Amino acid sequence: MKKLIVANFKMNQNPSETKQYLTKFVAGFNGNRADVVICPSFVSLPVATFLASGSLVRLGAQNVCDEEEGSYTGEVSAQMLKDLGVEYVIIGHSDRRNKFKESDRLINKKIKTALKNGLKCIVCVGESLADRNTGKTFDVIRHQIEECVKGLYENELESVIIAYEPIWAIGTGQNASVRDVENAAKVIRKVIYESYSEKASRDIQVLYGGSLNEKNVGALLNCSGIDGGLFGKISLNVNQFLDIANNLK
Ligand code: PGA
């Protein structure tokens, strides 16, 4: 099966830069080795959806409001994203958990609202360096997943993708090892198995993210139990990201 490759631009690239990026990416992407989801900022999504329309490139948002609509100044609803042609949304990225103090409970509510509105959720989980150093990695992942999927029906998991993103590996240039990633994928699937079924644990898509680059991508995305990757920094370089997406082994 083709790998799923997700680009998280974070708070980078103006709409005019995203326009240039998407124009080049859409023209150069062959779709032979991977499916691609690009997640620019909210303000770049209109131009991005316009340029990606009819192409192989899918689009995602980096966040969504947990509420459906109403008096939530400054927020963006799932319905608005759907209306724009956005198909995916990243929920629970460690930037949001840590810098914006998003709780597991809020993340669970965002997932439910996004699913209700037909969006696919890329849900991030992962331990901090302190958790890792004190041997709590698997407990942290287990807890985050249990809280994130709380109250979801098994069929809704078809639209949920779990991204294992150890916080100490994000933006640090220090990626997790093959062993770390395989062990994490095992725990993720085990939790889904215990909460749902063998089929659900097999079918759920699991990604790895954290300092992925052109050198480590082959080994890390071919880890057992891993279906793709979530890319930050390197995805901002259109040539490098195209190269990865087109030539993934
Ligand atoms: P990075 O970011 O590739 O720059 O480490 C990954 C992410 O935050 O999703």
Side-chain angles (χ1 to χ4, degrees):
M1 213 168 107
K2 274 197 232 176
K3 298 284 180 192
L4 179 67
I5 287 196
V6 183
N8 175 12
F9 286 1
K10 309 187 185 180
M11 199 173 74
N12 295 294
Q13 287 207 6
N14 298 329
S16 57
E17 292 166 316
T18 302
K19 186 177 170 190
Q20 281 177 3
Y21 185 110
L22 257 296
T23 305
K24 185 152 189 186
F25 195 91
V26 165
F29 178 52
N30 63 28
N32 292 338
R33 325 278 324 175
D35 293 317
V36 166
V37 179
I38 294 185
C39 306
S41 81
F42 282 136
V43 292
S44 293
L45 280 171
V47 73
T49 50
F50 177 75
L51 290 167
S53 161
S55 82
L56 296 168
V57 178
R58 310 264 80 90
L59 290 164
Q62 298 171 20
N63 188 19
V64 67
C65 186
D66 58 307
E67 297 289 344
E68 293 275 351
E69 67 179 335
S71 199
Y72 301 97
T73 303
E75 290 293 301
V76 174
S77 75
Q79 246 181 70
M80 292 171 186
L81 295 172
K82 190 72 188 165
D83 183 71
L84 200 55
V86 171
E87 292 177 60
Y88 292 79
V89 59
I90 298 173
I91 298 181
H93 189 277
S94 64
D95 285 343
R96 307 264 356 139
R97 290 179 185 267
N98 298 329
K99 296 174 187 165
F100 298 92
K101 304 288 171 244
E102 290 195 4
S103 63
D104 284 321
R105 201 173 155 188
L106 177 68
I107 291 164
N108 176 252
K109 196 161 170 232
K110 287 186 175 195
I111 295 169
K112 286 180 177 156
T113 305
L115 291 175
K116 194 172 157 207
N117 286 281
L119 294 170
K120 296 190 178 94
C121 301
I122 301 164
V123 180
C124 303
V125 298
E127 79 286 2
S128 68
L129 189 58
D131 296 330
R132 177 175 164 90
N133 289 341
T134 49
K136 295 202 196 105
T137 297
F138 300 139
D139 288 343
V140 168
I141 300 174
R142 167 179 288 277
H143 180 76
Q144 286 175 339
I145 295 177
E146 282 171 351
E147 294 298 311
C148 286
V149 300
K150 213 176 229 171
L152 298 190
Y153 295 107
E154 180 162 336
N155 66 344
E156 291 180 297
L157 291 187
E158 285 164 19
S159 298
V160 174
I161 296 153
I162 305 219
Y164 171 56
E165 292 218 307
I167 297 168
W168 50 269
I170 297 176
T172 57
Q174 194 198 340
N175 59 273
S177 68
V178 165
R179 195 155 160 250
D180 292 330
V181 175
E182 291 191 341
N183 285 337
K186 246 188 232 158
V187 172
I188 291 168
R189 292 185 191 279
K190 187 157 183 262
V191 177
I192 299 296
Y193 174 77
E194 287 164 4
S195 308
Y196 294 93
S197 67
E198 209 253 309
K199 183 179 183 315
S201 80
R202 214 183 329 118
D203 290 351
I204 194 152
Q205 285 187 292
V206 179
L207 313 181
Y208 167 74
S211 296
L212 280 168
N213 59 41
E214 70 284 10
K215 294 203 184 78
N216 62 27
V217 66
L220 291 171
L221 267 50
N222 282 303
C223 282
S224 150
I226 292 295
D227 303 298
L230 180 47
F231 297 73
K233 193 157 173 238
I234 203 164
S235 70
L236 292 169
N237 182 314
V238 65
N239 293 325
Q240 274 177 314
F241 195 55
L242 255 179
D243 191 40
I244 289 173
N246 282 340
N247 301 307
L248 199 64
K249 294 276 169 2

